[in-house]
Amino acid sequence: MSPSVPSWAGVAASLTLVAFAAMVAWRQRLRLTREITLAALRAGVQLAAVGAILLLVFTHTGLAGAAGWLAVMVLIAGQVAARRASGLRHALPIATTAIAAGTATTMGTLLALGVIATQGRVVIPVGGMVVAGAMQATALVLVRLREEARTGRPAIEARLCLGLSASAAFAPHLRTTLRTALIPAIDSTKTVGLISLPGAMTGLILAGVAPLTAIRYQIVVMYMLLAAAALAALTAARLTERALFDDAHRLHPPTAEIQHAHP
Amino acid sequence: MVTGFVRVEAYAEMLTNGAEVFGLEQVTVRRGGAVLLEAVTCQIPTGACTALVGRSGAGKSTLLRLLNRLEEPTAGTVRFHGQPLPEIDVLALRSRVGLVAQQPVLLTETVRADLQAGCPELDDDAAAGLLDRVGLPEAMLSRSTAGLSGGEAQRICLARALAVEPEVLLLDEPTSALDPHSAKAIETIISELSTAGLSVVVVSHDAAQARRIAAQVLVLHAGRLVAAGPADQIDYLNQIDSHRERT
């Protein structure tokens, strides 16, 4: 084991930091002492469980197990992104499909080109980053398109009334949304290394890998996150557009849930 | 067209197939638990202005939106030149049946681009001709849409709808958001368009306005067609109103 990785004793020692945070909360009467303690314990238990399962997957199930793990991550990410867009028709299947499309294409390309190794210990963490990036972009697209359909209804209907198709009438709204949804991925690509040392690179450096080697991984990570976000956002946008309009190129009336949220 | 103002029962017996651009037959629209239109049967004549009159919530806008399939009837049939609407390509239908909404919505940054929204090949001469039809100078073509008054914006919306060269123009309370001067200007444009042979259907809650601009009036009340007839006999509406209030 690399000396830079804390031992279990070191992990236990770091609990003093939790105690410190809890004490501050108690002294300041923030009523957060219990929550801080529980959060810290929960993080420990969750990560220990994940570590144990990952150990099993790495040693016994191979690439199939890694793929299964990724599939579960995609399903969970789909739920998280869809929950943000409550009131949008078919939000769950749209979000799940978009995240799956972004993840599958990106990971498939990386594996097919031999950029990353076909081992569980590589596919799972890299895939996790891809799923998270795709989830963020998908959630932004769903929320933004729902709002565009609500606030932009008069403009969309004005275009429909000129004989434009649903996709032509919705195109300006779709473009604005995609630009917004891709800003986080583009900005973090632009500023990587300047504002913060990104996760993959930090992890490798902590594990003792030479910085010039670590950045190679990080470059690949940034490129794949950009691709995953773009693919997921585009898929989510196209599917949402189809869900917003009917066959007669009509914008569906807002659901009761959206009307209730914006009376 | 019906020659005298009649109650709807008598009107239904007088309808004949012929020169109507739209025919509605027992059209009902329900949304959620609400009935927006109920068993409406009527005709919209070709080449004239028809006003849909009634109070708020009477179903006027719903009826208007049925005509270019922004709404779908729950029951009944809407025909365009005798053909049921679902049998017509919806995009082709909307190119032939333009609709201008109550609140003017401008879609682009300049007046020129806005007029081209439904007709990208529209050149400057044609665009200037459209502006002239709605009483605006050619110099407005390069104006930004941001600083337009409500009346100017509504005229641009009218011109934009006319750019597609529709044979029917649907107008949803086109003057309700305007000052009296702009409203009068829009009324004049509507009258000129229908005199020139365009079929116009205009929603209004103002009986006096209907008398000024329309040839035929259809009166809606709580989702039902309650009377129909020539606009110059619209005083009959008062009887309808007092009848409703008594019952």
Side-chain angles (χ1 to χ4, degrees), chain B:
Chain B
M1 191 187 298
V2 181
T3 53
F5 225 104
V6 294
R7 283 182 185 280
V8 70
E9 296 81 4
Y11 169 73
E13 289 172 11
M14 297 163 79
L15 294 177
T16 51
N17 292 328
E20 84 274 10
V21 61
F22 282 107
L24 276 73
E25 210 177 299
Q26 292 294 311
V27 170
T28 295
V29 178
R30 289 193 198 91
R31 194 185 300 147
V35 179
L36 305 183
L37 280 181
E38 191 165 8
V40 171
T41 297
C42 65
Q43 289 178 345
I44 309 285
T46 305
C49 181
T50 300
L52 305 177
V53 178
R55 293 174 179 169
S56 292
K60 309 182 295 290
S61 296
T62 305
L63 199 159
L64 195 78
R65 288 161 61 88
L66 280 171
L67 303 180
N68 77 344
R69 289 194 73 194
L70 278 183
E71 293 278 351
E72 199 76 3
T74 316
T77 311
V78 182
R79 290 192 165 83
F80 180 56
H81 291 303
Q83 197 178 5
L85 289 191
E87 291 178 12
I88 305 169
D89 175 66
V90 67
L91 301 184
L93 173 80
R94 290 192 188 134
S95 300
R96 295 168 71 186
V97 182
L99 187 148
V100 176
Q102 186 173 1
Q103 296 286 345
V105 183
L106 296 164
L107 303 171
T108 56
E109 287 174 6
T110 67
V111 170
R112 180 185 284 105
D114 222 76
L115 294 179
Q116 291 171 329
C119 186
E121 65 278 11
L122 189 79
D123 62 28
D124 275 6
D125 283 347
L130 287 168
L131 288 183
D132 186 52
R133 277 178 90 178
V134 297
L136 292 174
E138 183 180 350
M140 280 201 75
L141 271 183
S142 46
R143 276 265 304 269
S144 160
T145 50
L148 297 177
S149 70
E152 287 170 332
Q154 192 60 293
R155 289 191 216 196
I156 300 292
C157 291
L158 259 172
R160 187 179 66 203
L162 293 171
V164 188
E165 297 183 356
E167 54 184 286
V168 187
L169 195 56
L170 311 175
L171 305 167
D172 192 355
E173 305 225 24
T175 61
S176 65
L178 306 181
D179 61 79
H181 177 73
S182 301
K184 190 163 185 339
I186 296 285
E187 282 183 16
T188 307
I189 295 164
I190 296 169
S191 297
E192 285 171 2
L193 290 171
S194 64
T195 306
L198 190 72
S199 305
V200 179
V201 185
V202 58
V203 164
S204 178
H205 61 268
D206 178 357
Q209 181 181 61
R211 177 167 44 201
R212 287 195 295 273
I213 60 175
Q216 180 193 227
V217 172
L218 301 172
V219 186
L220 291 161
H221 184 88
R224 287 179 168 275
L225 181 69
V226 291
D232 56 7
Q233 295 176 31
I234 202 165
D235 289 342
Y236 181 85
L237 279 182
N238 297 333
Q239 296 171 35
I240 299 262
D241 274 356
S242 54
H243 171 74
R244 295 280 148 196
E245 278 158 18
R246 280 202 306 273
T247 54

Side-chain angles (χ1 to χ4, degrees), chain A:
Chain A
M1 186 190 288
S2 163
S4 59
V5 175
S7 61
W8 283 110
V11 171
S14 69
L15 275 174
T16 51
L17 298 173
V18 177
F20 183 67
M23 198 175 71
V24 169
W26 178 68
R27 292 280 299 222
Q28 297 295 320
R29 297 179 186 172
L30 301 181
R31 295 184 182 176
L32 286 174
T33 316
R34 187 180 141 86
E35 200 169 337
I36 288 172
T37 314
L38 282 178
L41 287 175
R42 185 177 159 161
V45 171
Q46 274 174 203
L47 287 175
V50 169
I53 297 169
L54 281 177
L55 185 66
L56 278 175
V57 173
F58 291 171
T59 48
H60 297 293
T61 63
L63 195 59
W69 183 282
L70 274 191
V72 172
M73 280 200 280
V74 166
L75 290 176
I76 294 169
Q79 296 237 348
V80 173
R83 219 175 292 145
R84 294 245 169 244
S86 58
L88 186 72
R89 280 181 180 75
H90 311 306
L92 183 59
I94 289 172
T96 311
T97 309
I99 295 167
T103 304
T105 312
T106 310
M107 292 302 288
T109 306
L110 290 174
L111 290 168
L113 295 177
V115 179
I116 59 169
T118 52
Q119 294 168 355
R121 67 177 190 83
V122 176
V123 170
I124 289 176
V126 171
M129 285 188 274
V130 170
V131 171
M135 177 182 75
Q136 187 186 32
T138 298
L140 277 169
V141 165
L142 295 187
V143 171
R144 187 67 197 250
L145 283 185
R146 183 189 62 182
E147 291 308 301
E148 288 284 336
R150 188 179 67 82
T151 58
R153 176 175 286 270
I156 294 164
E157 290 197 337
R159 290 192 189 89
L160 292 173
C161 287
L162 295 168
L164 268 63
S165 66
S167 58
F170 200 52
H173 305 270
L174 206 77
R175 273 197 292 273
T176 315
T177 297
L178 283 175
R179 287 180 67 88
T180 308
L182 292 180
I183 283 172
I186 293 169
D187 280 357
S188 61
T189 307
K190 275 198 288 201
T191 59
V192 66
L194 300 177
I195 293 177
S196 67
L197 288 181
M201 184 172 155
T202 308
L204 288 169
I205 291 173
L206 279 174
V209 174
L212 280 178
T213 309
I215 61 150
R216 290 211 305 268
Y217 228 107
Q218 191 59 48
I219 289 170
V220 171
V221 166
M222 296 318 292
Y223 292 172
M224 79 187 188
L225 289 181
L226 205 53
L231 288 165
L234 189 65
T235 309
R238 287 287 171 215
L239 292 176
T240 305
E241 180 189 297
R242 285 172 63 178
L244 285 170
F245 291 89
D246 66 12
D247 291 342
H249 300 263
R250 248 189 321 243
L251 194 55
H252 282 297
T255 61
E257 204 167 342
I258 294 177
Q259 279 178 331
H260 182 69
H262 304 278

